[in-house]
Amino acid sequence: MLRFCTLLLCLLVGHTGWAQGLPGYVLTLTGDTLRGIVVERGQQLVALHSAPKAAPQIFRPAQVQGYGLRGRAAIRSQVVRLASGQDSTFFVVPVQLGRASLYAYPNETGLLLLPPAADTLQELTAINWHVLLNRYLTGCPTLDHSNNRIIQLSFTERNVRQVFMEYNQCLDPAWKSTPSPTRTVWRNGLGLQLTPRHQFLDSDGLLSKNSIPVGLEWVHVRASGLQTVLSVSYAAWSNRTELNPPFPQALTEEQTFYRQQTLDLAIGIGRRLGRPGRVAVVPGIGFGGLYFLHSEATVKERPRGSNIPLQTSNVYRGDNGLMVHAEATLGAVLPLGNHQEVRLGAFYRYYLYGVRGVWGEASLQLAYDWFRK
């Protein structure tokens, strides 16, 4: 299971072939707007599908002004001076705009400084960021970069943003930090899911081994085809053992009836593979926890060989508990217009912690998702 999940993770992270993409546009160097399905191929390469059957146009940052997703402001191409001293053109998104602005790469990694009245971004690293901020964030009498409070700050986005906020508010007291619309480049949707499951159990004689959890999910999709699903589902199920004597010489025969209610929280990561506008194949992996809201076992018995109704002899109530699980998935997504889709997937789940006689499950999942944009 671990080896299979590792292979899937390599596929999800490293795949740069056909992906579903998102509706968007590309801004050419001449100012023209080319519309279609935009696919992010790696961090610094985009493909534009102007029609479902048309060959994609491939663009690097230096070849266009930028690109936009879902009608939002463009992710711009700008020159970045790397920590090595080399200048190169990259796609970047603003994180915090002001006299001095903070940028990141489209996958929301890296921190880049745009000094006041400059057009070249400076790459910030844990080694150079204090030096660059001292060099470029000047003119504020209350921001002393040699102060121990500043020097002892660790290199995190939160700390860098805080220094930028102090500087911008110092130069312009009316300045306020506002989220940039280009910071959110994910397409979000809400959905319903139905997940029939079949459990693989130990040799305890259980006859009923199935459950059908129902739940809600929140789907995030990027133009690279990367998909993240957060879900919560509820299941109430029951099963029973065969009617047998508890031991060969027993004068009675008994049967155990189980009832359980569970709440399942899970996160799944996958990648949509396929041409834009068509059915996509989605391999993925997931992790989560299954929490027992209620667990009860009722033992009923009667004289051996008789036909009288079973009588309750014992009732056992289990403690609430958590079972941690990992899963491998393979599914398909069928688009239903621009705002709706249906997803069908097959899962294999393996329990890593808190096992109660169950070592794995196979399941199918049917989900319906609705996207606002």
Side-chain angles (χ1 to χ4, degrees):
M1 175 68 178
L2 180 60
R3 180 178 299 178
F4 183 57
C5 286
T6 302
L7 291 174
L8 273 176
L9 184 60
C10 291
L11 175 63
L12 301 181
V13 174
H15 177 79
T16 58
W18 292 112
Q20 289 287 288
L22 293 178
Y25 60 92
V26 170
L27 291 175
T28 68
L29 294 177
T30 59
D32 294 327
T33 301
L34 307 178
R35 299 189 180 278
I37 299 297
V38 175
V39 179
E40 294 172 323
R41 292 190 175 183
Q43 182 170 289
Q44 296 297 326
L45 197 69
V46 297
L48 177 70
H49 297 258
S50 57
K53 295 183 179 180
Q57 297 174 268
I58 309 299
F59 300 99
R60 297 185 181 276
Q63 297 173 319
V64 293
Q65 293 187 39
Y67 67 95
L69 302 173
R70 302 165 50 224
R72 293 177 178 265
I75 296 170
R76 293 287 180 172
S77 300
Q78 286 194 243
V79 177
V80 176
R81 180 156 297 162
L82 302 175
S84 62
Q86 178 184 359
D87 287 355
S88 188
T89 305
F90 290 90
F91 290 125
V92 297
V93 294
V95 176
Q96 184 172 283
L97 299 174
R99 295 282 189 91
S101 298
L102 186 63
Y103 283 74
Y105 297 117
N107 63 358
E108 302 184 75
T109 62
L111 292 175
L112 309 169
L113 160 68
L114 181 62
D119 55 9
T120 297
L121 294 163
Q122 305 288 330
E123 182 183 30
L124 301 178
T125 68
I127 296 175
N128 73 6
W129 77 290
H130 284 299
V131 175
L132 291 179
L133 296 193
N134 182 57
R135 179 184 303 168
Y136 293 109
L137 303 192
T138 60
C140 174
T142 61
L143 184 60
D144 182 4
H145 295 282
S146 63
N147 187 286
N148 283 337
R149 179 182 69 87
I150 302 295
I151 293 176
Q152 293 177 0
L153 289 176
S154 58
F155 182 63
T156 64
E157 180 178 332
R158 179 180 179 182
N159 288 338
V160 175
R161 287 171 64 103
Q162 183 60 41
V163 176
F164 273 64
M165 288 179 62
E166 290 185 30
Y167 177 77
N168 287 321
Q169 288 175 344
C170 176
L171 298 187
D172 182 7
W175 176 88
K176 293 183 180 180
S177 176
T178 56
S180 170
T182 58
R183 183 65 166 165
T184 304
V185 294
W186 295 80
R187 188 187 189 202
N188 301 314
L190 291 173
L192 301 173
Q193 60 176 224
L194 189 67
T195 313
R197 290 176 177 160
H198 177 78
Q199 298 176 347
F200 298 96
L201 304 167
D202 293 338
S203 56
D204 55 6
L206 290 179
L207 296 177
S208 176
K209 299 181 286 188
N210 304 309
S211 61
I212 307 179
V214 294
L216 299 173
E217 64 180 28
W218 189 10
V219 185
H220 309 259
V221 183
R222 276 204 65 135
S224 62
L226 188 64
Q227 169 186 287
T228 303
V229 179
L230 303 175
S231 65
V232 55
S233 57
Y234 168 82
W237 57 279
S238 61
N239 51 31
R240 57 189 173 88
T241 63
E242 296 177 345
L243 180 61
N244 283 315
F247 53 90
Q249 293 79 26
L251 299 178
T252 61
E253 54 189 6
E254 64 180 35
Q255 192 170 19
T256 304
F257 296 82
Y258 296 93
R259 290 192 304 158
Q260 291 183 336
Q261 297 178 30
T262 59
L263 191 66
D264 194 359
L265 301 175
I267 178 171
I269 302 174
R271 186 177 289 277
R272 301 185 175 198
L273 308 176
R275 292 178 178 271
R278 301 182 182 179
V279 175
V281 177
V282 189
I285 58 175
F287 302 91
L290 182 69
Y291 184 74
F292 286 83
L293 300 172
H294 177 75
S295 181
E296 181 180 282
T298 301
V299 180
K300 296 185 178 184
E301 64 178 16
R302 67 185 180 188
R304 191 170 182 176
S306 70
N307 292 321
I308 66 174
L310 293 168
Q311 302 295 318
T312 299
S313 60
N314 282 298
V315 177
Y316 303 95
R317 290 181 173 85
D319 297 329
N320 294 342
L322 180 68
M323 295 172 64
V324 179
H325 56 76
E327 57 193 27
T329 70
L330 181 63
V333 173
L334 173 64
L336 303 176
N338 294 327
H339 301 285
Q340 302 173 76
E341 65 182 28
V342 173
R343 190 175 70 254
L344 179 64
F347 292 70
Y348 175 77
R349 171 176 290 185
Y350 184 80
Y351 288 90
L352 306 171
Y353 171 78
V355 178
R356 299 186 177 191
V358 182
W359 61 268
E361 286 181 332
S363 62
L364 295 176
Q365 186 179 85
L366 179 64
Y368 164 81
D369 297 309
W370 177 81
F371 295 87
R372 188 171 63 90
K373 290 184 178 181

